[in-house]
Amino acid sequence: MSTLLIVAGLITLMGIYGVAALALNLQFGAGGMVNFGVAAFFGVGAYGYALAVMPAPSGSYTYILGLGLPWGAGAIFGGLVSALLALVVGVALLRVGGDYLAVVTLALAEMTRQLFMNQPTIANGARGLLDAPVPYVESIPGRMQSVFIAGIALVVLAVTFLLFRRVTRSAFGRSLLAVKQNEAVARSLGVNVYAVKLKAFVFAAFFMGLAGVMYVWYLSILTPTFFSVNITFTIFIALIIGGTGSNVGAVVGAIVLLGMREGLTYIQVDFITSERMTSLQDALQGVVLIVILLFWPGGLSRPRLAVYPPPAEVSPAPRVLATTAAGGRP
């Protein structure tokens, strides 16, 4: 395989997971909302894009839409469908939050995947969509197509980073952080806790859907098996590695984790087959996470915590010793 294609594919994946990690950072790092259903919003955005840009169904293909929209409009449509799903979930659960949100979103991810897999009328079922439209695939030849997609992924990542940095530094971002730290105090200061959480949850879900759209561009095919819970865990691990609560950390974590994980597939070792090397990816994620938690608990975007010796025991004051020796109260 060409080195150019490998590098372009790796950059695209870093951009995809970087955007998703930034979105999760707003929900979890800034807002304290545990969303284990990232794969659901990721997948719904991907399917929303595909169904919006593909032509009307014909032949053996069966799917519910087929609007034939341009790829740019389709990308926005995919993000909006993901945001709409987040609105429905958020309205129902964000007043409760906590463990309920985590459990329900995890179940939502699996339910969504099973729905796309077992209902062929929605998006061709388990067979998927094998010719999902990719931007300018017909006008950009050969290897340059992968380079072009990598360039789009970098642009989207840069714009997303600047936007999320602006949001987290705004009054809304400070309100969201206050809600995470202490809801009761934030409410007493006039913050509408429910509204702030819902806005952040829906806004971030739009970009999770957009990351799913770019995943379609990367693969050029779309099947339900791609959107398993592993996507959720990979994005969470990337965020923790980089530093929860930090936009820079979200991007750094995605770059480091994807670079190490995908790099394994290209390592040539005589006694390990490429298939076994690929299977080590999940194990590597766990090892990297443990190392980061041990030596950089705050994440790679923050300085390593120094380990100080325990403070020396402070001896009692002379006056207290003298009083005690005389039989009085200290």
Side-chain angles (χ1 to χ4, degrees):
M1 183 180 291
S2 170
T3 303
L4 181 63
L5 293 179
I6 294 174
V7 173
L10 187 57
I11 290 175
T12 304
L13 277 177
M14 289 176 177
I16 292 168
Y17 281 92
V19 170
L22 283 167
L24 181 62
N25 185 56
L26 184 68
Q27 292 179 344
F28 178 62
M33 294 172 281
V34 183
N35 177 13
F36 282 153
V38 177
F41 304 105
F42 199 90
V44 166
Y47 272 99
Y49 164 79
L51 295 175
V53 298
M54 292 187 71
S58 61
S60 60
Y61 265 0
T62 57
Y63 46 87
I64 195 171
L65 287 177
L67 303 179
L69 297 177
W71 67 269
I76 296 175
F77 182 83
L80 290 176
V81 172
S82 181
L84 179 61
L85 176 62
L87 179 63
V88 174
V89 174
V91 167
L93 291 176
L94 287 180
R95 291 189 185 275
V96 181
D99 298 337
Y100 296 97
L101 179 63
V103 172
V104 173
T105 51
L106 179 61
L108 175 69
E110 184 59 22
M111 288 170 56
T112 304
R113 189 175 71 88
Q114 292 295 331
L115 181 65
F116 284 120
M117 183 176 295
N118 297 315
Q119 295 295 326
T121 56
I122 298 178
N124 210 39
R127 293 180 297 171
L129 305 174
L130 303 182
D131 54 354
V134 178
Y136 300 114
V137 67
E138 297 178 354
S139 57
I140 299 179
R143 299 175 180 177
M144 294 308 298
Q145 175 65 30
S146 298
V147 176
F148 177 70
I149 297 301
I152 295 180
L154 285 179
V155 170
V156 174
L157 177 60
V159 172
T160 304
F161 174 80
L162 295 175
L163 183 59
F164 274 80
R165 186 177 67 171
R166 181 71 177 268
V167 169
T168 52
R169 293 181 177 180
S170 66
F172 173 79
R174 292 192 292 270
S175 299
L176 186 63
L177 185 60
V179 169
K180 176 189 175 182
Q181 293 175 345
N182 195 314
E183 285 192 17
V185 173
R187 190 176 290 107
S188 69
L189 295 175
V191 176
N192 188 333
V193 172
Y194 173 71
V196 168
K197 280 187 172 184
L198 184 60
K199 289 177 183 178
F201 193 75
V202 173
F203 181 75
F206 175 89
F207 288 91
M208 291 177 181
L210 189 59
V213 172
M214 291 192 293
Y215 202 60
V216 178
W217 298 344
Y218 170 70
L219 295 174
S220 72
I221 59 176
L222 184 59
T223 65
T225 56
F226 292 144
F227 306 108
S228 67
V229 71
N230 288 336
I231 286 182
T232 299
F233 293 147
T234 299
I235 296 170
F236 260 97
I237 292 173
L239 180 58
I240 294 172
I241 287 175
T244 304
S246 168
N247 291 320
V248 173
V251 177
V252 169
I255 292 173
V256 171
L257 181 61
L258 269 296
M260 297 179 65
R261 176 178 172 173
E262 298 302 317
L264 268 182
T265 60
Y266 303 107
I267 295 177
Q268 299 295 328
V269 181
D270 294 337
F271 56 89
I272 300 179
T273 63
S274 58
E275 291 79 7
R276 290 183 178 180
M277 188 67 74
T278 303
S279 68
L280 293 176
Q281 290 179 336
D282 292 337
L284 177 65
Q285 287 187 172
V287 171
V288 172
L289 179 61
I290 291 172
V291 171
I292 295 299
L293 291 177
L294 285 175
F295 298 102
W296 287 273
L300 293 176
S301 63
R302 297 186 175 93
R304 181 179 174 183
L305 298 180
V307 179
Y308 298 100
E313 185 177 352
V314 180
S315 59
R319 183 182 64 83
V320 175
L321 289 175
T323 305
T324 306
R329 296 179 61 186

